[in-house]
Amino acid sequence: MTIKTFGVIGAGQMGNGIAQVAAAAGLDVIMNDIKDEFVDKGYLSIQKNLDRSVSKGKLSEDEAKATLSRVSKSVNLKDMESADFV
């Protein structure tokens, strides 16, 4: 089984960290939580982590943008139907 889309339920510290690592590995990620504000906060955390890596020279701007572009936000568990692994 090939995994192309990875679902993460929970956008808190652990969830957004897992989502970031999966996206950095090239997987499309669906990051889900029960409220938009939680998902937005998790997404912002990923963005800040990537920006910090760019400023330290560990990651290029293009790599950071590509990683972030693979993360989609969700507040509906039904969205996980398209994930290969949750």
Side-chain angles (χ1 to χ4, degrees):
M1 172 186 214
T2 302
I3 298 173
K4 294 180 182 176
T5 304
F6 190 80
V8 179
I9 300 174
Q13 185 173 357
M14 184 181 289
N16 72 56
I18 293 168
Q20 180 179 338
V21 169
L27 298 172
D28 291 323
V29 177
I30 304 166
M31 185 172 63
N32 173 278
D33 214 314
I34 58 173
K35 291 184 179 181
D36 283 321
E37 64 190 79
F38 298 154
V39 178
D40 291 340
K41 185 176 178 183
Y43 190 85
L44 185 60
S45 180
I46 293 171
Q47 189 173 27
K48 286 180 181 179
N49 289 338
L50 293 171
D51 288 345
R52 187 173 27 247
S53 292
V54 169
S55 70
K56 290 182 177 184
K58 295 180 178 183
L59 201 61
S60 75
E61 185 82 30
D62 289 340
E63 290 170 319
K65 285 180 184 178
T67 298
L68 198 58
S69 74
R70 287 190 283 272
V71 179
S72 62
K73 300 184 278 185
S74 163
V75 291
N76 187 343
L77 282 177
K78 204 106 164 100
D79 295 335
M80 292 298 168
E81 289 180 347
S82 63
D84 298 314
F85 187 85
V86 178

Coordinates of all heavy atoms in Angstrom, one line a residue:
M1 N 0.8 -1.2 0.0 CA 0.0 0.0 0.0 C 0.9 1.2 0.0 O 1.8 1.4 0.8 CB -0.9 0.0 1.2 CG -1.7 1.3 1.4 SD -2.6 1.3 3.0 CE -4.0 2.1 2.5
T2 N 0.6 2.1 -0.9 CA 1.4 3.4 -1.0 C 0.6 4.5 -0.2 O -0.6 4.6 -0.4 CB 1.5 3.8 -2.5 OG1 2.2 2.8 -3.2 CG2 2.3 5.1 -2.6
I3 N 1.3 5.2 0.6 CA 0.7 6.2 1.4 C 1.1 7.6 0.7 O 2.3 7.9 0.6 CB 1.1 6.2 2.8 CG1 0.6 4.9 3.5 CG2 0.6 7.4 3.6 CD1 1.1 4.7 4.9
K4 N 0.1 8.3 0.2 CA 0.3 9.6 -0.4 C -0.3 10.7 0.5 O 0.2 11.8 0.5 CB -0.3 9.6 -1.8 CG 0.4 8.7 -2.7 CD -0.2 8.8 -4.1 CE 0.5 7.8 -5.1 NZ -0.1 7.8 -6.4
T5 N -1.4 10.4 1.1 CA -2.1 11.4 1.9 C -2.2 10.9 3.4 O -2.7 9.8 3.6 CB -3.5 11.7 1.4 OG1 -3.4 12.1 0.0 CG2 -4.2 12.8 2.2
F6 N -1.8 11.7 4.3 CA -1.6 11.4 5.7 C -2.6 12.2 6.5 O -2.6 13.5 6.4 CB -0.2 11.6 6.1 CG 0.2 11.1 7.4 CD1 0.5 9.8 7.6 CD2 0.3 12.0 8.5 CE1 1.0 9.3 8.9 CE2 0.7 11.5 9.8 CZ 1.0 10.2 9.9
G7 N -3.4 11.6 7.3 CA -4.4 12.4 8.1 C -3.9 12.5 9.6 O -3.4 11.5 10.1
V8 N -4.0 13.7 10.2 CA -3.6 13.9 11.6 C -4.8 14.5 12.3 O -5.3 15.6 11.9 CB -2.4 14.9 11.7 CG1 -2.0 15.1 13.1 CG2 -1.2 14.3 10.9
I9 N -5.3 13.8 13.3 CA -6.4 14.3 14.1 C -5.8 14.9 15.3 O -5.2 14.3 16.1 CB -7.4 13.2 14.4 CG1 -7.9 12.6 13.1 CG2 -8.5 13.7 15.3 CD1 -8.8 11.4 13.3
G10 N -6.0 16.2 15.4 CA -5.5 17.0 16.5 C -4.4 17.9 16.0 O -3.4 17.4 15.4
A11 N -4.6 19.2 16.2 CA -3.6 20.2 15.7 C -2.8 20.8 16.8 O -2.2 21.9 16.5 CB -4.3 21.2 14.8
G12 N -2.8 20.2 17.9 CA -2.0 20.8 19.0 C -0.5 20.6 18.8 O -0.1 20.3 17.7
Q13 N 0.3 20.7 19.9 CA 1.7 20.6 19.7 C 2.2 19.3 19.1 O 3.0 19.3 18.2 CB 2.4 20.8 21.1 CG 3.9 20.8 21.0 CD 4.5 21.2 22.4 OE1 3.8 21.4 23.4 NE2 5.8 21.2 22.4
M14 N 1.6 18.2 19.5 CA 2.0 16.9 19.0 C 1.5 16.7 17.5 O 2.2 16.3 16.6 CB 1.6 15.8 19.8 CG 2.1 14.4 19.3 SD 1.5 13.0 20.4 CE 2.5 13.3 21.8
G15 N 0.2 17.1 17.3 CA -0.4 16.9 16.0 C 0.2 17.8 15.0 O 0.5 17.3 13.9
N16 N 0.5 19.0 15.3 CA 1.1 19.9 14.2 C 2.6 19.5 14.0 O 3.1 19.6 12.9 CB 0.9 21.4 14.5 CG 1.8 21.9 15.6 OD1 3.0 21.8 15.6 ND2 1.1 22.6 16.6
G17 N 3.2 18.9 15.0 CA 4.6 18.4 14.8 C 4.6 17.2 13.9 O 5.4 17.1 12.9
I18 N 3.7 16.3 14.1 CA 3.5 15.1 13.2 C 3.2 15.6 11.8 O 3.7 15.1 10.8 CB 2.5 14.1 13.8 CG1 3.0 13.6 15.1 CG2 2.2 13.0 12.8 CD1 2.0 12.8 15.9
A19 N 2.2 16.5 11.7 CA 1.8 17.0 10.4 C 3.0 17.6 9.6 O 3.2 17.4 8.4 CB 0.7 18.0 10.5
Q20 N 3.9 18.4 10.3 CA 5.0 19.0 9.7 C 6.0 18.0 9.2 O 6.5 18.1 8.1 CB 5.7 20.0 10.7 CG 6.9 20.7 10.1 CD 7.6 21.6 11.1 OE1 6.9 22.1 12.0 NE2 8.8 21.9 10.8
V21 N 6.3 17.0 10.0 CA 7.3 16.0 9.6 C 6.8 15.2 8.4 O 7.5 14.9 7.5 CB 7.6 15.0 10.8 CG1 8.3 13.8 10.4 CG2 8.3 15.8 11.9
A22 N 5.5 14.9 8.4 CA 4.9 14.1 7.3 C 4.9 15.0 6.0 O 5.3 14.5 4.9 CB 3.5 13.7 7.6
A23 N 4.6 16.3 6.1 CA 4.6 17.2 5.0 C 6.1 17.3 4.5 O 6.3 17.4 3.3 CB 4.0 18.5 5.3
A24 N 7.0 17.4 5.4 CA 8.4 17.6 5.0 C 8.9 16.3 4.3 O 9.8 16.4 3.4 CB 9.3 17.9 6.2
A25 N 8.3 15.2 4.6 CA 8.7 13.9 3.9 C 8.0 13.8 2.6 O 8.3 12.8 1.9 CB 8.3 12.8 4.8
G26 N 7.2 14.8 2.2 CA 6.6 14.8 0.9 C 5.2 14.3 0.8 O 4.6 14.2 -0.3
L27 N 4.6 14.0 1.9 CA 3.2 13.5 2.0 C 2.2 14.7 2.0 O 2.5 15.7 2.6 CB 2.9 12.7 3.2 CG 3.7 11.4 3.3 CD1 3.5 10.7 4.7 CD2 3.3 10.4 2.2
D28 N 1.1 14.5 1.4 CA 0.0 15.5 1.5 C -0.6 15.2 2.9 O -0.8 14.1 3.2 CB -1.0 15.4 0.4 CG -0.5 15.8 -0.9 OD1 0.3 16.8 -1.0 OD2 -0.9 15.1 -1.9
V29 N -0.9 16.3 3.7 CA -1.4 16.1 5.0 C -2.7 16.8 5.2 O -2.9 17.9 4.8 CB -0.3 16.7 6.0 CG1 -0.9 16.6 7.5 CG2 1.0 15.9 5.9
I30 N -3.6 16.1 5.9 CA -4.9 16.7 6.3 C -4.8 16.9 7.8 O -4.7 15.9 8.5 CB -6.1 15.9 5.9 CG1 -6.1 15.6 4.4 CG2 -7.4 16.6 6.4 CD1 -7.1 14.5 4.1
M31 N -4.7 18.1 8.3 CA -4.6 18.3 9.8 C -6.0 18.8 10.3 O -6.5 19.8 9.8 CB -3.6 19.4 10.1 CG -3.3 19.6 11.5 SD -1.9 20.7 11.9 CE -2.5 22.2 11.2
N32 N -6.5 18.0 11.2 CA -7.9 18.2 11.6 C -8.0 18.5 13.1 O -7.2 17.9 13.9 CB -8.7 16.9 11.3 CG -10.1 16.9 11.9 OD1 -10.3 16.6 13.1 ND2 -11.0 17.2 11.1
D33 N -8.9 19.3 13.5 CA -9.2 19.5 14.9 C -10.7 19.9 15.0 O -11.4 20.1 13.9 CB -8.3 20.5 15.5 CG -8.0 20.2 17.0 OD1 -9.0 19.9 17.7 OD2 -6.9 20.3 17.4
I34 N -11.2 20.1 16.2 CA -12.6 20.4 16.3 C -13.1 21.8 16.1 O -14.3 22.0 15.9 CB -13.1 19.9 17.7 CG1 -12.4 20.7 18.8 CG2 -13.0 18.4 17.9 CD1 -12.9 20.4 20.2
K35 N -12.1 22.7 16.1 CA -12.5 24.1 15.8 C -11.4 24.7 14.8 O -10.3 24.4 14.9 CB -12.5 25.0 17.1 CG -13.6 24.6 18.1 CD -13.5 25.6 19.2 CE -14.6 25.3 20.2 NZ -14.6 26.3 21.3
D36 N -11.9 25.7 14.0 CA -11.0 26.4 13.1 C -9.9 27.0 13.8 O -8.7 27.0 13.3 CB -11.8 27.4 12.3 CG -12.6 26.9 11.2 OD1 -12.2 25.9 10.5 OD2 -13.7 27.4 11.0
E37 N -10.1 27.6 15.0 CA -9.1 28.3 15.7 C -8.0 27.4 16.1 O -6.8 27.8 16.1 CB -9.6 29.1 16.9 CG -10.2 28.2 18.0 CD -11.0 28.9 19.1 OE1 -12.2 29.3 18.8 OE2 -10.4 29.1 20.1
F38 N -8.3 26.1 16.4 CA -7.2 25.2 16.8 C -6.4 24.8 15.6 O -5.2 24.7 15.7 CB -7.9 23.9 17.4 CG -8.6 24.2 18.7 CD1 -9.6 23.3 19.1 CD2 -8.3 25.2 19.5 CE1 -10.4 23.5 20.3 CE2 -9.0 25.5 20.7 CZ -10.1 24.6 21.1
V39 N -7.1 24.6 14.5 CA -6.4 24.2 13.3 C -5.5 25.3 12.8 O -4.3 25.1 12.4 CB -7.4 23.8 12.1 CG1 -6.6 23.4 10.9 CG2 -8.2 22.6 12.6
D40 N -6.0 26.6 12.9 CA -5.3 27.7 12.4 C -4.0 27.9 13.3 O -3.0 28.3 12.8 CB -6.1 29.0 12.5 CG -7.2 29.0 11.4 OD1 -7.1 28.3 10.4 OD2 -8.2 29.8 11.6
K41 N -4.2 27.7 14.6 CA -3.1 27.8 15.5 C -2.0 26.8 15.2 O -0.8 27.1 15.2 CB -3.5 27.7 17.0 CG -2.5 28.0 18.0 CD -3.0 27.9 19.4 CE -1.9 28.1 20.4 NZ -2.4 28.0 21.8
G42 N -2.4 25.6 14.9 CA -1.5 24.5 14.6 C -0.7 24.8 13.3 O 0.5 24.6 13.2
Y43 N -1.5 25.3 12.3 CA -0.9 25.7 11.0 C 0.1 26.8 11.2 O 1.2 26.8 10.6 CB -2.0 26.1 10.1 CG -1.6 26.3 8.6 CD1 -1.6 25.2 7.7 CD2 -1.3 27.5 8.1 CE1 -1.2 25.4 6.4 CE2 -0.9 27.7 6.8 CZ -0.9 26.6 6.0 OH -0.5 26.8 4.6
L44 N -0.2 27.8 12.0 CA 0.7 28.9 12.3 C 2.0 28.4 13.0 O 3.1 28.9 12.7 CB 0.0 30.0 13.1 CG 0.8 31.3 13.4 CD1 1.1 32.0 12.1 CD2 -0.1 32.2 14.3
S45 N 1.8 27.5 13.8 CA 3.0 26.9 14.5 C 3.9 26.2 13.5 O 5.1 26.4 13.6 CB 2.5 25.9 15.6 OG 3.6 25.3 16.2
I46 N 3.4 25.5 12.6 CA 4.2 24.9 11.5 C 4.9 25.9 10.7 O 6.1 25.8 10.4 CB 3.3 24.0 10.6 CG1 2.8 22.8 11.3 CG2 4.1 23.5 9.4 CD1 1.7 22.0 10.6
Q47 N 4.1 27.0 10.4 CA 4.7 28.1 9.6 C 5.9 28.7 10.3 O 6.9 29.0 9.8 CB 3.7 29.1 9.3 CG 4.1 30.2 8.3 CD 2.9 31.0 7.9 OE1 1.9 31.2 8.6 NE2 3.0 31.6 6.7
K48 N 5.7 29.0 11.6 CA 6.8 29.6 12.4 C 8.0 28.7 12.5 O 9.1 29.1 12.4 CB 6.3 29.9 13.8 CG 5.4 31.1 13.9 CD 4.9 31.3 15.3 CE 4.0 32.5 15.4 NZ 3.5 32.8 16.8
N49 N 7.8 27.4 12.7 CA 8.9 26.4 12.7 C 9.7 26.4 11.4 O 10.9 26.4 11.4 CB 8.4 25.0 13.0 CG 7.9 24.8 14.5 OD1 8.2 25.6 15.4 ND2 7.0 23.9 14.7
L50 N 8.9 26.4 10.3 CA 9.6 26.4 9.0 C 10.4 27.7 8.8 O 11.5 27.7 8.3 CB 8.6 26.2 7.9 CG 7.9 24.8 7.9 CD1 6.8 24.8 6.9 CD2 8.9 23.7 7.5
D51 N 9.8 28.9 9.2 CA 10.4 30.1 9.1 C 11.7 30.2 9.9 O 12.7 30.7 9.4 CB 9.5 31.3 9.5 CG 8.4 31.6 8.5 OD1 8.5 31.1 7.4 OD2 7.4 32.3 8.9
R52 N 11.7 29.6 11.1 CA 12.9 29.5 11.9 C 14.0 28.7 11.3 O 15.1 29.1 11.3 CB 12.5 29.0 13.3 CG 13.6 29.0 14.3 CD 13.2 28.6 15.7 NE 12.1 27.7 15.8 CZ 10.9 28.0 16.4 NH1 10.7 29.2 16.8 NH2 9.9 27.1 16.4
S53 N 13.6 27.6 10.7 CA 14.5 26.7 10.0 C 15.2 27.5 8.8 O 16.4 27.3 8.5 CB 13.9 25.4 9.5 OG 13.5 24.6 10.6
V54 N 14.4 28.3 8.1 CA 14.9 29.1 7.0 C 15.9 30.1 7.5 O 17.0 30.3 6.9 CB 13.7 29.7 6.2 CG1 14.3 30.8 5.2 CG2 12.9 28.7 5.4
S55 N 15.5 30.8 8.6 CA 16.4 31.8 9.1 C 17.7 31.3 9.6 O 18.7 32.0 9.6 CB 15.7 32.6 10.2 OG 15.5 31.9 11.3
K56 N 17.7 30.0 10.0 CA 19.0 29.4 10.5 C 19.7 28.7 9.4 O 20.8 28.1 9.6 CB 18.6 28.3 11.6 CG 18.1 28.9 12.9 CD 17.9 27.8 13.9 CE 17.4 28.4 15.2 NZ 17.3 27.4 16.2
G57 N 19.2 28.8 8.2 CA 19.9 28.2 7.0 C 19.7 26.7 6.9 O 20.4 26.0 6.1
K58 N 18.8 26.1 7.7 CA 18.6 24.6 7.6 C 17.7 24.2 6.5 O 17.6 23.0 6.2 CB 18.1 24.2 9.0 CG 19.0 24.3 10.1 CD 18.4 23.8 11.4 CE 19.4 24.0 12.6 NZ 18.8 23.5 13.8
L59 N 17.0 25.2 6.0 CA 15.9 24.9 5.0 C 15.9 26.1 4.0 O 16.0 27.2 4.4 CB 14.6 24.7 5.7 CG 13.4 24.0 5.1 CD1 13.8 22.5 4.8 CD2 12.2 24.0 6.0
S60 N 15.6 25.8 2.8 CA 15.5 26.9 1.8 C 14.1 27.4 1.9 O 13.1 26.7 2.3 CB 15.8 26.4 0.4 OG 14.8 25.7 -0.1
E61 N 13.9 28.6 1.4 CA 12.6 29.3 1.4 C 11.6 28.4 0.5 O 10.4 28.2 0.9 CB 12.7 30.7 0.8 CG 11.4 31.5 0.8 CD 11.1 32.1 2.1 OE1 12.1 32.5 2.8 OE2 9.9 32.3 2.4
D62 N 12.1 27.9 -0.6 CA 11.3 27.1 -1.5 C 10.9 25.8 -0.8 O 9.7 25.3 -1.0 CB 12.0 26.7 -2.8 CG 12.1 28.0 -3.7 OD1 11.4 28.9 -3.5 OD2 13.0 27.9 -4.6
E63 N 11.8 25.2 -0.1 CA 11.4 23.9 0.7 C 10.4 24.2 1.7 O 9.5 23.4 1.9 CB 12.7 23.3 1.3 CG 13.7 22.7 0.3 CD 15.0 22.4 1.0 OE1 15.5 23.1 1.9 OE2 15.5 21.3 0.6
A64 N 10.5 25.3 2.4 CA 9.5 25.6 3.5 C 8.2 25.9 2.8 O 7.1 25.4 3.4 CB 10.0 26.9 4.2
K65 N 8.1 26.6 1.7 CA 6.8 26.9 1.1 C 6.2 25.6 0.6 O 5.0 25.4 0.7 CB 7.0 27.8 -0.1 CG 7.2 29.3 0.3 CD 7.4 30.2 -0.9 CE 7.7 31.6 -0.4 NZ 7.9 32.5 -1.6
A66 N 7.0 24.7 0.0 CA 6.5 23.4 -0.5 C 6.0 22.6 0.6 O 4.9 21.9 0.5 CB 7.6 22.7 -1.3
T67 N 6.7 22.5 1.7 CA 6.2 21.8 2.9 C 4.9 22.3 3.4 O 3.9 21.5 3.6 CB 7.2 21.8 4.1 OG1 8.4 21.2 3.6 CG2 6.7 21.1 5.3
L68 N 4.8 23.6 3.5 CA 3.5 24.2 4.0 C 2.4 24.0 3.1 O 1.2 23.8 3.5 CB 3.7 25.7 4.3 CG 2.7 26.4 5.2 CD1 2.7 25.7 6.6 CD2 3.1 27.8 5.4
S69 N 2.7 24.0 1.8 CA 1.6 23.8 0.8 C 1.0 22.4 0.8 O -0.1 22.2 0.3 CB 2.2 24.1 -0.6 OG 3.0 23.1 -1.1
R70 N 1.7 21.5 1.4 CA 1.2 20.1 1.5 C 0.3 19.9 2.7 O -0.3 18.8 2.8 CB 2.4 19.1 1.5 CG 3.1 19.0 0.1 CD 4.1 17.8 0.1 NE 5.3 18.1 0.8 CZ 6.4 18.7 0.3 NH1 6.3 19.0 -1.0 NH2 7.5 18.9 1.0
V71 N 0.2 20.9 3.5 CA -0.7 20.8 4.7 C -2.0 21.5 4.4 O -2.1 22.7 4.1 CB 0.0 21.4 5.9 CG1 -1.0 21.3 7.2 CG2 1.3 20.8 6.2
S72 N -3.1 20.7 4.5 CA -4.5 21.3 4.4 C -5.1 21.2 5.7 O -4.9 20.3 6.5 CB -5.3 20.6 3.3 OG -5.5 19.2 3.6
K73 N -6.0 22.2 6.0 CA -6.7 22.3 7.3 C -8.1 21.7 7.2 O -8.8 21.8 6.1 CB -6.8 23.8 7.7 CG -5.4 24.4 7.8 CD -5.4 25.8 8.3 CE -5.7 26.8 7.2 NZ -5.7 28.2 7.7
S74 N -8.6 21.1 8.3 CA -9.9 20.5 8.3 C -10.5 20.6 9.7 O -9.8 20.4 10.7 CB -9.8 19.1 7.9 OG -10.9 18.3 8.2
V75 N -11.8 20.8 9.7 CA -12.6 20.7 11.0 C -13.7 19.6 10.8 O -14.5 19.5 11.7 CB -13.2 22.0 11.4 CG1 -12.1 23.0 11.9 CG2 -14.1 22.6 10.4
N76 N -13.6 18.9 9.8 CA -14.6 17.8 9.5 C -14.0 16.5 9.3 O -13.2 16.3 8.4 CB -15.4 18.2 8.2 CG -16.6 17.3 8.0 OD1 -16.7 16.2 8.6 ND2 -17.5 17.7 7.1
L77 N -14.3 15.6 10.2 CA -13.6 14.2 10.2 C -13.9 13.5 8.8 O -13.2 12.6 8.4 CB -14.1 13.4 11.3 CG -13.4 13.7 12.7 CD1 -14.0 12.8 13.8 CD2 -11.9 13.5 12.6
K78 N -15.0 13.9 8.2 CA -15.3 13.3 6.9 C -14.2 13.5 5.9 O -14.0 12.7 5.0 CB -16.6 13.9 6.4 CG -17.4 13.1 5.4 CD -18.6 12.5 6.1 CE -19.6 12.0 5.0 NZ -19.5 10.6 4.9
D79 N -13.4 14.6 6.1 CA -12.3 14.9 5.2 C -11.2 13.7 5.2 O -10.4 13.6 4.3 CB -11.6 16.2 5.5 CG -12.6 17.4 5.3 OD1 -13.5 17.3 4.5 OD2 -12.4 18.4 5.9
M80 N -11.2 13.0 6.3 CA -10.2 11.9 6.5 C -10.5 10.7 5.5 O -9.6 9.9 5.4 CB -10.2 11.5 7.9 CG -9.6 12.5 8.9 SD -7.9 12.9 8.5 CE -7.7 14.3 9.5
E81 N -11.6 10.7 4.9 CA -11.9 9.6 3.9 C -10.9 9.6 2.8 O -10.7 8.5 2.3 CB -13.3 9.8 3.4 CG -14.4 9.5 4.4 CD -15.8 9.7 3.8 OE1 -16.0 10.3 2.7 OE2 -16.8 9.2 4.4
S82 N -10.4 10.7 2.5 CA -9.4 10.8 1.4 C -8.0 10.4 1.8 O -7.1 10.3 0.9 CB -9.4 12.1 0.7 OG -9.0 13.2 1.6
A83 N -7.8 10.3 3.1 CA -6.4 9.9 3.6 C -6.1 8.5 3.4 O -7.0 7.6 3.6 CB -6.3 10.4 5.0
D84 N -4.9 8.1 3.1 CA -4.5 6.7 3.0 C -4.1 6.2 4.4 O -4.2 5.0 4.6 CB -3.2 6.6 2.1 CG -3.5 7.1 0.7 OD1 -4.5 6.7 0.1 OD2 -2.7 7.9 0.2
F85 N -3.8 7.1 5.3 CA -3.4 6.6 6.7 C -3.7 7.8 7.6 O -3.5 8.9 7.4 CB -1.9 6.4 6.7 CG -1.4 5.8 8.0 CD1 -1.4 4.4 8.2 CD2 -0.9 6.6 9.0 CE1 -1.0 3.9 9.4 CE2 -0.5 6.0 10.2 CZ -0.5 4.7 10.4
V86 N -4.4 7.4 8.7 CA -4.8 8.4 9.7 C -4.2 8.0 11.1 O -4.2 6.9 11.5 CB -6.3 8.5 9.9 CG1 -6.7 9.5 10.9 CG2 -7.0 8.9 8.5

